[in-house]
Amino acid sequence: MTRFLERIRTQKPLIHNITNVVVTNFTANGLYAAGASPVMANAKEEVEEMASIANALVLNIGTLSSEQVESMIIAGKAANKAGIPVVLDPVGVGATSFRTESARTILEQVNVSAIRGNVGEIANLAGLSAQVRGVDSMGEFDMDELLSMAYKKIQVPLAVTGELDFITDGKEKAVISNGHPLLTKVTGAGCLLSSVVAAFLAVEKDVFHAVTGAVCYYGIAAEEAASKAKLPGDFQIELLNQLYAVSDDLIAEKSRSVLGKLGSDL
Amino acid sequence: MTRFLERIRTQKPLIHNITNVVVTNFTANGLYAAGASPVMANAKEEVEEMASIANALVLNIGTLSSEQVESMIIAGKAANKAGIPVVLDPVGVGATSFRTESARTILEQVNVSAIRGNVGEIANLAGLSAQVRGVDSMGEFDMDELLSMAYKKIQVPLAVTGELDFITDGKEKAVISNGHPLLTKVTGAGCLLSSVVAAFLAVEKDVFHAVTGAVCYYGIAAEEAASKAKLPGDFQIELLNQLYAVSDDLIAEKSRSVLGKLGSDL
Amino acid sequence: MTRFLERIRTQKPLIHNITNVVVTNFTANGLYAAGASPVMANAKEEVEEMASIANALVLNIGTLSSEQVESMIIAGKAANKAGIPVVLDPVGVGATSFRTESARTILEQVNVSAIRGNVGEIANLAGLSAQVRGVDSMGEFDMDELLSMAYKKIQVPLAVTGELDFITDGKEKAVISNGHPLLTKVTGAGCLLSSVVAAFLAVEKDVFHAVTGAVCYYGIAAEEAASKAKLPGDFQIELLNQLYAVSDDLIAEKSRSVLGKLGSDL
């Protein structure tokens, strides 16, 4: 038993988020619910110091500005120097060239521990958007190919989330079927997951298992929430409740992940 | 039957919001609940591209900066070029000269499809604040005069919302009595309505009918929410639930709008 | 009977918040629930005018930028000129030197009416962090010493909130035991309290009694909320409900404050 949540709730890792203005509140409340300590800081005058005292860093490009890119790179380098994990959420990569270029600049300048995005974002980040057109259905076979190709280009552990969630570190692969469609009706559901991934990485050095654990936990919390709340306003609040209520034991009981080698059929 | 919601829920129009930092989350969740796809992007480096792939643009000046005004004008011109509707929400116009001047600059530089505000904002935007002092009671006669005068100055379809809602395109007028006082206890209730108006305009070219439809829908969702939630925290969440649950059929059943010519008693 | 809430709900004071991007929505909804009128404005072009028409100003440094510091000083000076109260919330002071220096610059340039923070923030602001290490347990004796030392350095009425809340104006002291641990699971719970303090100061010139009243009210609302909501998502919403529902009579019935002289055992 890995008991990630117990570790998070005991260690209360400080998660430094440089994130978009839409999800700040929801992300902070979600991190508190999981047991972590959130902090948000964007100014280039302070991100180096803040990242240095944090236990993990999240870079989310959802409402990017050029000043924020600069801060992300300063914070990312400080995180690298301090040896803490860095999660990149490439929100909307491919929608504008500013986002695509900024995400690539961050990847060039910062050693990122893991990237979480939807299939379109990961494909765009890897420069594969032409090849993967139509992959939105996320058929198992295509996704394995996408994961392999994307990992080859990006060389960073990936979590591609959607109806099914796919995680790879270039060798191992996990396919997770926890989760619920109501997550697509709550803004920032993906962004919060990226910050939860950072909280797991803050307490576990094995990136593949930490990311897989975070994605299972989040999907199970969503399932629990959806069993109580059928409408999106209620679901958003109930998700916070369940991120707080779900335990390592419930994860052990309810997780539906299939593990294997990248390139193998699961 | 116009069935606006069915169209929104089928077409999932992408609504690009350049809005204030108070309402970003609530606006995004409200647009998801209505069936649209929200995107927020503020940077001058990307707003032209983002507006070009969107189906409607919202410009909300609630926490304006000079950089944001610049972005709004770039995005507005791109929206005009792409032929997509633009909604202006002149939050707090009249409170500071920066807001008043910025709103007027936007109106000079961008072809706006509709403006939604409260009576004070619309009066200030039209330079009528002196004449309409005391109109806050929104007596029917005074409102008709205000609408006529404001339209004459601004030459853009207007939705003036409050205890009653008034919509005009310079010829037609609608007076809507749907809605609920609890809306005044939720921050961003007006801002979200402006974004919902944009979603309706994204699926219907007839501005007057689209705006009237959006305002009816929103008022009915508020009534449904108030029948379940009596306190403002609950109401805020229940409003999101009801924006999701309300159907075109319920709108047809519950809308209370009176239509006529601008300048006529209704 | 001081009946602060009745005054707030009658006068609806306009509270100008220059605050962090995490708590804008929650702060605005909390102020509405209390009966006040929130406004957020950050741009240096408009903060002087906005502060001049407001009834109180809140400066919260939770996601500071150098532009925002500049705006805070402009707004603070306008508030001083207009004779309205100014509340400083030194979020995260001590975490980075940018925050510490910015908070001190604000205190040098602006006459602040009251400061609300947790024990670490107040100790850092007063340059006492070395002496008070370990005070987090907030033992009564140490807190009295901290309050005396911090007031001597800062010379501004202080509200130090935590498991117990301590208020002093340099002469009087109040210790309040209202409140609930679930407040620590909601982001912005402290930030909103600072804005509620500003609303109380807007209707009551006696700073010590206004701050004490605000902290009691907030703690009682939290207790009422916790009696209905056991999980953090629900609690966040129920706190807004109870800020709306709590009355002056309930405060008179449920407040648990002990008053005395600073330097005395209570």
Side-chain angles (χ1 to χ4, degrees), chain A residues 52-241:
Chain A
S52 303
I53 61 169
N55 302 107
L57 174 68
V58 179
L59 306 177
N60 175 309
I61 68 166
T63 54
L64 212 52
S65 65
S66 50
E67 291 81 7
Q68 212 187 24
V69 176
E70 200 186 332
S71 289
M72 285 181 179
I73 290 168
I74 295 170
K77 288 183 172 175
N80 287 166
K81 200 174 160 193
I84 63 164
V86 179
V87 175
L88 173 66
D89 188 330
V91 182
V93 153
T96 69
S97 46
F98 179 55
R99 293 194 188 207
T100 306
E101 284 158 23
S102 298
R104 290 185 185 158
T105 302
I106 291 165
L107 282 173
E108 278 163 27
Q109 305 267 324
V110 178
N111 289 322
V112 169
S113 313
I115 299 172
R116 191 220 58 85
N118 64 34
V119 64
E121 290 161 350
I122 300 297
N124 273 294
L125 192 61
L128 303 171
S129 50
Q131 290 97 312
V132 298
R133 215 167 278 283
V135 175
D136 278 340
S137 60
M138 292 176 76
E140 175 65 0
F141 179 76
D142 287 327
M143 277 307 297
D144 194 71
E145 207 182 320
L146 171 73
L147 281 182
S148 298
M149 291 166 68
Y151 185 84
K152 196 175 289 179
K153 293 257 186 174
I154 305 174
Q155 297 284 325
V156 171
L158 300 171
V160 184
T161 58
E163 204 177 319
L164 292 173
D165 306 314
F166 299 83
I167 293 139
T168 190
D169 63 354
K171 294 176 194 159
E172 308 295 318
K173 180 176 72 167
V175 182
I176 298 170
S177 55
N178 292 110
H180 195 276
L182 272 171
L183 285 170
T184 66
K185 291 288 170 190
V186 175
T187 198
C191 300
L192 172 53
L193 174 51
S194 297
S195 291
V196 168
V197 165
F200 275 65
L201 287 169
V203 300
E204 169 60 48
K205 284 192 184 304
D206 183 325
V207 172
F208 179 74
H209 285 106
V211 176
T212 303
V215 173
C216 277
Y217 159 58
Y218 200 75
I220 291 165
E223 291 168 11
E224 296 291 300
S227 74
K228 294 174 204 299
K230 307 299 177 197
L231 294 167
D234 290 340
F235 178 78
Q236 173 198 7
I237 298 304
E238 194 59 39
L239 182 61
L240 295 175
N241 288 341

Side-chain angles (χ1 to χ4, degrees), chain C residues 57-141:
Chain C
L57 174 68
V58 179
L59 305 178
N60 176 310
I61 68 166
T63 54
L64 213 52
S65 66
S66 50
E67 293 80 9
Q68 212 187 22
V69 176
E70 199 186 332
S71 289
M72 285 181 179
I73 290 168
I74 296 170
K77 289 184 172 174
N80 286 166
K81 200 174 160 194
I84 63 163
V86 179
V87 175
L88 173 65
D89 188 329
V91 182
V93 154
T96 69
S97 46
F98 179 55
R99 292 193 189 208
T100 306
E101 285 159 23
S102 298
R104 289 184 186 158
T105 302
I106 292 165
L107 282 174
E108 278 164 27
Q109 306 266 323
V110 177
N111 290 321
V112 169
S113 313
I115 299 172
R116 191 220 59 85
N118 64 34
V119 65
E121 289 160 351
I122 300 297
N124 273 294
L125 191 61
L128 303 171
S129 51
Q131 291 98 311
V132 298
R133 214 167 279 281
V135 175
D136 277 341
S137 60
M138 291 176 77
E140 174 65 2
F141 179 78

Side-chain angles (χ1 to χ4, degrees), chain B residues 161-179:
Chain B
T161 58
E163 203 178 319
L164 291 173
D165 306 314
F166 298 83
I167 293 140
T168 191
D169 64 354
K171 293 177 195 159
E172 307 296 319
K173 180 177 70 168
V175 183
I176 298 170
S177 54
N178 293 110

Side-chain angles (χ1 to χ4, degrees), chain A residues 21 24-25 28-29 32-33 40-43 45-46 49-50 53 237-238 240-241 244-245, chain C residues 21-22 62-66 95-99 184-187 231-234 236-237:
Chain A
V21 294
T24 46
N25 188 271
N29 277 325
Y32 273 131
M40 313 274 158
N42 289 290
E45 291 90 344
E46 70 168 353
E49 266 184 281
M50 195 63 92
I53 61 169
I237 298 304
E238 194 59 39
L240 295 175
N241 288 341
Y244 182 80
Chain C
V21 293
V22 184
T63 54
L64 213 52
S65 66
S66 50
T96 69
S97 46
F98 179 55
R99 292 193 189 208
T184 66
K185 291 288 169 190
V186 175
T187 199
L231 295 168
D234 290 340
Q236 173 198 8
I237 298 304

Side-chain angles (χ1 to χ4, degrees), chain B:
Chain B
M1 294 287 284
T2 45
R3 306 203 74 77
F4 295 127
L5 284 175
E6 200 173 288
R7 286 190 249 165
I8 290 170
R9 286 159 185 174
T10 307
Q11 298 175 35
K12 298 184 186 13
L14 184 66
I15 313 302
H16 177 190
N17 299 270
I18 304 183
T19 189
N20 69 75
V21 293
V22 184
V23 304
T24 44
N25 188 272
F26 187 62
T27 299
N29 277 325
L31 284 171
Y32 272 130
S37 290
V39 70
M40 313 275 159
N42 289 289
K44 65 177 191 293
E45 291 90 345
E46 71 170 352
V47 290
E48 183 176 357
E49 265 183 282
M50 196 63 92
S52 303
I53 61 170
N55 302 107
L57 174 68
V58 179
L59 306 177
N60 176 309
I61 68 166
T63 55
L64 212 52
S65 66
S66 50
E67 293 79 9
Q68 211 188 25
V69 176
E70 200 186 332
S71 289
M72 285 181 179
I73 290 168
I74 295 169
K77 287 183 173 175
N80 287 166
K81 201 173 158 194
I84 63 164
V86 180
V87 174
L88 173 66
D89 189 329
V91 182
V93 153
T96 68
S97 46
F98 179 55
R99 293 195 188 207
T100 306
E101 283 158 23
S102 298
R104 288 185 187 156
T105 303
I106 292 165
L107 282 174
E108 277 164 28
Q109 305 266 324
V110 177
N111 289 321
V112 169
S113 312
I115 299 171
R116 190 220 59 85
N118 63 35
V119 63
E121 290 160 351
I122 299 297
N124 273 294
L125 192 60
L128 302 171
S129 51
Q131 289 98 311
V132 297
R133 215 168 276 283
V135 175
D136 277 340
S137 59
M138 291 178 75
E140 174 64 3
F141 179 76
D142 288 327
M143 278 306 298
D144 194 72
E145 207 181 320
L146 171 73
L147 281 182
S148 297
M149 290 166 68
Y151 185 84
K152 197 176 286 180
K153 292 257 187 173
I154 306 174
Q155 297 284 325
V156 171
L158 301 171
V160 184
T161 58
E163 203 178 319
L164 291 173
D165 306 314
F166 298 83
I167 293 140
T168 191
D169 64 354
K171 293 177 195 159
E172 307 296 319
K173 180 177 70 168
V175 183
I176 298 170
S177 54
N178 293 110
H180 195 275
L182 272 170
L183 285 171
T184 66
K185 292 287 168 191
V186 175
T187 199
C191 300
L192 172 52
L193 174 51
S194 296
S195 290
V196 167
V197 165
F200 275 65
L201 286 169
V203 300
E204 169 60 49
K205 285 190 184 306
D206 182 326
V207 173
F208 179 74
H209 285 105
V211 176
T212 303
V215 173
C216 277
Y217 159 58
Y218 200 75
I220 291 165
E223 291 168 10
E224 296 291 301
S227 74
K228 294 174 205 299
K230 307 299 180 198
L231 294 168
D234 291 339
F235 179 77
Q236 174 198 5
I237 298 304
E238 193 59 40
L239 182 61
L240 295 175
N241 288 340
Q242 295 304 321
L243 287 170
Y244 182 79
V246 166
S247 65
D248 288 311
D249 290 342
L250 197 78
I251 295 177
E253 184 191 327
K254 300 229 170 179
S255 71
R256 293 192 303 278
S257 63
V258 184
L259 304 177
K261 293 292 165 193
L262 185 61
S264 67
D265 279 359
L266 291 186

Side-chain angles (χ1 to χ4, degrees), chain C residues 102-204:
Chain C
S102 298
R104 289 184 186 158
T105 302
I106 292 165
L107 282 174
E108 278 164 27
Q109 306 266 323
V110 177
N111 290 321
V112 169
S113 313
I115 299 172
R116 191 220 59 85
N118 64 34
V119 65
E121 289 160 351
I122 300 297
N124 273 294
L125 191 61
L128 303 171
S129 51
Q131 291 98 311
V132 298
R133 214 167 279 281
V135 175
D136 277 341
S137 60
M138 291 176 77
E140 174 65 2
F141 179 78
D142 287 327
M143 277 307 298
D144 194 71
E145 208 182 320
L146 171 72
L147 280 182
S148 297
M149 291 166 68
Y151 185 84
K152 197 176 286 179
K153 293 258 187 174
I154 306 174
Q155 297 284 325
V156 170
L158 301 172
V160 184
T161 59
E163 203 178 320
L164 292 173
D165 306 313
F166 299 83
I167 294 140
T168 190
D169 63 354
K171 295 176 194 157
E172 308 295 320
K173 180 176 71 167
V175 182
I176 298 170
S177 55
N178 293 110
H180 195 276
L182 272 170
L183 285 171
T184 66
K185 291 288 169 190
V186 175
T187 199
C191 300
L192 172 52
L193 174 51
S194 297
S195 290
V196 168
V197 165
F200 275 64
L201 287 169
V203 300
E204 169 60 48

